[in-house]
Amino acid sequence: MKKRIPGYCPLCISRCGCISVVEDGILCSLEPFPDHPTGKSLCMKGKAAPELVYSPERLLTPLKRTKSKGSSDPGWMAISWEEALDTLATRLQTIAQESGPEAVAFGVTTPSGTGISDSFVWINRLAHAFGSPNTLFATENCNWHKDFTPKYTFGNSIGMPEYERSGCILLWGFNPAVSWLSQAEAIARAQKRGAKLIVVDPRKAGFASRADQWLRVRPATDGPLAMALAHQLITHGWYDERFLRDWSNGPLLIREDTGELLTANEIDMACSDQHYLAWDTHEKKVVAYDPVIGRYPAGHGKLALLGKFDVRTTAGIVTCKTAFQVYANACGYYTLARTEKFTDIPAQQMIDTARLLHQSGPVSYFTWTGTAQQSQATQTGRAIALLYALTGHLDAPGGNVYFATPPMANLFGLELLSEEQRVLALGFHERPLGPGNMGWITSHDFHRSITDGEPYRVRALVSFGGNSLLTKPNADAAGKALQQLEFYVHADMFLNPTANHADMVLPVASPWERSGLYPGFHISQTADSLIQLRPAVLPCLGKSRSDTWIVFELSKRLGLEEHFFGGDADAALQSLIEPTGLSTATLKSHPEGISLPLETVYRKYQKQGFATPTRKLEIFSEHFKKNGYPPVPQFDHKKFNDIHYPLRLISAKWLVYCHSQQRHLPSLRKRMPEPLVELNPHTAAVRGIEEHDWVVIETSEGSIQARAKLVQSLAEDVVCSQYGWWQDPHGNYNNMISDIDFDPLSSSNRLRDFPCNVAKTNPCP
Ligand SMILES: Nc1nc2c(c(=O)[nH]1)N[C@H]1C(S)=C(S)[C@@H](COP(=O)(O)OP(=O)(O)OC[C@H]3O[C@@H](n4cnc5c(=O)[nH]c(N)nc54)[C@H](O)[C@@H]3O)O[C@H]1N2
Ligand SMILES: Nc1nc2c(c(=O)[nH]1)N[C@H]1C(S)=C(S)[C@@H](COP(=O)(O)OP(=O)(O)OC[C@H]3O[C@@H](n4cnc5c(=O)[nH]c(N)nc54)[C@H](O)[C@@H]3O)O[C@H]1N2
Ligand code: SF4
Ligand SMILES: [Mo]
């Protein structure tokens, strides 16, 4: 009997609506689901779902190690779930009693490139309920810079382009043609309708070849480029002065001597000390701004957005500039001539791009890992966000909008961690504004904790997927650290090099053997209005179980049922969706999803302000300054010229695979059997390299091999290689990257723009 069951493919962020075709209890194929807002088409990974489900390499029973950690064969032995979960719970409790719950780290793979989104909230909640502020996650190199860093500017994430109404779309270090199919479709439709397209990418990838402007930026010089474009907009007057005056903190006065915001207690003014000051150009005197209510006094004259003013304070005359002037001056450093040298972007192209931004709005933008995996990612993200702020299109029709999404209960559980436990997150003291805030830690801090006991020793890891040896920098050190862990349990569908260091592995059901909830599909209001409970279309294979099941079983054994709805996952789900007014029964009877009557409200800041300390869009971040970071974007220029090696190494995603996964699925491997490296033909020729030759890529940290792919459009000093290969002898990209050069706020790594060289070689056997 053939069944066609609606759902969505959860294997990546695109979450394409799909129909699972099941015949006689076997998953035969996945088909597109054109009525679904993300269901127009599926990629080859989605179509290969049956290969994933029935892969002979699936883990189908819990296993425990019988050989020592040093030996190449772990000597896996099958055990029962009872034994696995009992052992796990006992060990975790013992370690927590002896060393505190922070000595147990949790781990989770990326929801943007796996189906872990089905369980993400419960895994994080488990860590927090247990008392651990340490969850190892990819965030600093992944979503942090689109979802969290922008909070320091917009008080929110970057939002989502409203493609249906955008006049100009700016894709910056983001290649949706490979990484987010449903967004790519929306962009293609917008372009057909006449929207202009600007792409900033060292590679002519995806939409770059169809763009009105493709800016072939030199890797990791995106910050200076954004500042230079902003300089063009400001000097030509191509910015939304009214929006910036009314809704940014641009008018607030900054003392020239201290670089700090001038406050009301510094002048003889009858108002609260907490007020800031701006310059009234009519009255030629300061007016107080109350950040608590987010207002200036009624009836004030026009506020100065640019300019320098002498203000009489109780301690004498103090020269001040507006925050916007401070920013404009910082942008002014990035003249066309200077920026051309940094970025390799011709001066005329910068002017043309600035004009396009000005003339063809509303502008929307998206940026992702091209700008995130840099050692100055925070300032880069700020520079791009501020450039965007100049357009005035944030949360406006056709701009980057915060669509209305199905209301969900927040069960992430950060509040379950006491304040004392929260600040114990590894790396939190060094970077209090970074991912430690959310209970997420980096591999660098994790490994230091294991090997050096700094600032204390983590003794155990419970990881739900992930393959950090392949996906985080400095894999050699990572392997050594994992070997020193007292107790490591890894839950996964498959073994991988990281899991091979585990003491136990737990078999996880594939997404087709479990259900998953998705509240909002991101790419438009229609998509974001849809809430869908994807049903399991098959029973769990072997003894595999969902991550959610593992979490809830563990919660019972750890005595944490009170935080896990008595260990009842259905009750938990009902709680999660409570604010929507829907029941799980209703969602179950509508596997195609339910569209809620949600409406976009534009420019929400006009009612509620921005969720920032000044309640305005923050051109100037006092919060950054207080924590030792530049309050307006600033870059270390030495980094742009630190080449001891002649070439600059970058990496990117490929359509065929997600990160280190799927190389064992035959139909995919056939399409991309070996790792590739993209090189300019001239760079290749002077080294005697021809198309398809084996090449060795070398950095100060290590080397790998890959097949040459000659790409005329790539700059001569840029090399783009793949990461994530391990069922292959040619080496691990991330072993060529050092983990000590990272962003000082977020700790994102220099996975792009690493100095390297290439040479012709013979492949290893
Ligand atoms: N050089 C370089 N390195 C990079 C990147 C880059 O661009 N360049 N990108 C970075 C980015 S953006 C990210 S997000 C990280 C990703 O880093 P990781 O999260 O380590 O991702 P994967 O390599 O995809 O590892 C996924 C593992 O989780 C398992 N898995 C998949 N689905 C599930 C599930 O539902 N449950 C469980 N329990 N396990 C599951 C898979 O079988 C696999 O073993 O890599 C980063 N590393
Ligand atoms: N097929 C597939 N899809 C995926 C994933 C996958 O692994 N495979 N992973 C998912 C995940 S976890 C994520 S985070 C997203 C990521 O999605 P994207 O951010 O789109 O992923 P990338 O291809 O790594 O990077 C985007 C572009 O950045 C460019 N780039 C490299 N260095 C620089 C630079 O210095 N400056 C600029 N401006 N650009 C640069 C690359 O050439 C690339 O075209 O994709 C998700 N979707
Ligand atoms: S792009 Fe491919 S892997 Fe990602 S959700 Fe769609 S079909 Fe699945
Ligand atoms: Mo990611």
Side-chain angles (χ1 to χ4, degrees), residues 110 112 142 659:
T110 172
S112 302
C142 181
H659 311 294

Side-chain angles (χ1 to χ4, degrees), residues 230-412:
H231 180 50
Q232 291 306 309
L233 294 183
I234 293 169
T235 50
H236 288 94
W238 292 340
Y239 59 94
D240 188 337
E241 193 179 331
R242 202 164 150 193
F243 169 76
L244 293 165
R245 179 176 290 118
D246 292 347
W247 298 109
S248 85
N249 71 359
L252 299 184
L253 295 175
I254 313 289
R255 293 178 63 120
E256 245 188 5
D257 53 354
T258 61
E260 278 166 17
L261 282 168
L262 186 70
T263 54
N265 65 343
E266 296 174 73
I267 60 169
D268 205 6
M269 203 177 196
C271 58
S272 142
D273 289 357
Q274 302 306 320
H275 290 195
Y276 300 116
L277 298 164
W279 189 260
D280 183 329
T281 56
H282 291 168
E283 301 291 326
K284 304 227 174 334
K285 62 174 190 154
V286 290
V287 289
Y289 169 73
D290 182 348
V292 175
I293 56 166
R295 272 199 220 112
Y296 296 94
H300 67 79
K302 190 174 172 188
L303 301 180
L305 188 57
L306 284 165
K308 187 167 167 175
F309 308 94
D310 285 336
V311 180
R312 183 174 300 283
T313 70
T314 47
I317 300 284
V318 170
T319 306
C320 297
K321 288 194 190 94
T322 64
F324 190 67
Q325 183 70 58
V326 171
Y327 165 64
N329 289 0
C331 294
Y333 176 80
Y334 295 94
T335 59
L336 292 170
R338 185 175 276 143
T339 312
E340 188 169 328
K341 280 203 196 113
F342 285 143
T343 63
D344 285 348
I345 305 294
Q348 190 58 46
Q349 194 180 19
M350 288 187 255
I351 300 170
D352 294 344
T353 302
R355 184 177 292 113
L356 196 60
L357 286 170
H358 170 58
Q359 289 180 341
S360 55
V363 179
S364 64
Y365 88 108
F366 206 86
T367 184
W368 206 348
T369 57
T371 59
Q373 296 172 357
Q374 303 187 6
S375 59
Q376 304 192 64
T378 298
Q379 295 296 331
T380 299
R382 276 264 296 157
I384 298 171
L386 291 180
L387 168 68
Y388 184 64
L390 296 178
T391 67
H393 298 143
L394 183 65
D395 211 23
N400 278 40
V401 172
Y402 304 102
F403 294 123
T405 53
M408 306 287 287
N410 181 358
L411 299 180
F412 189 78

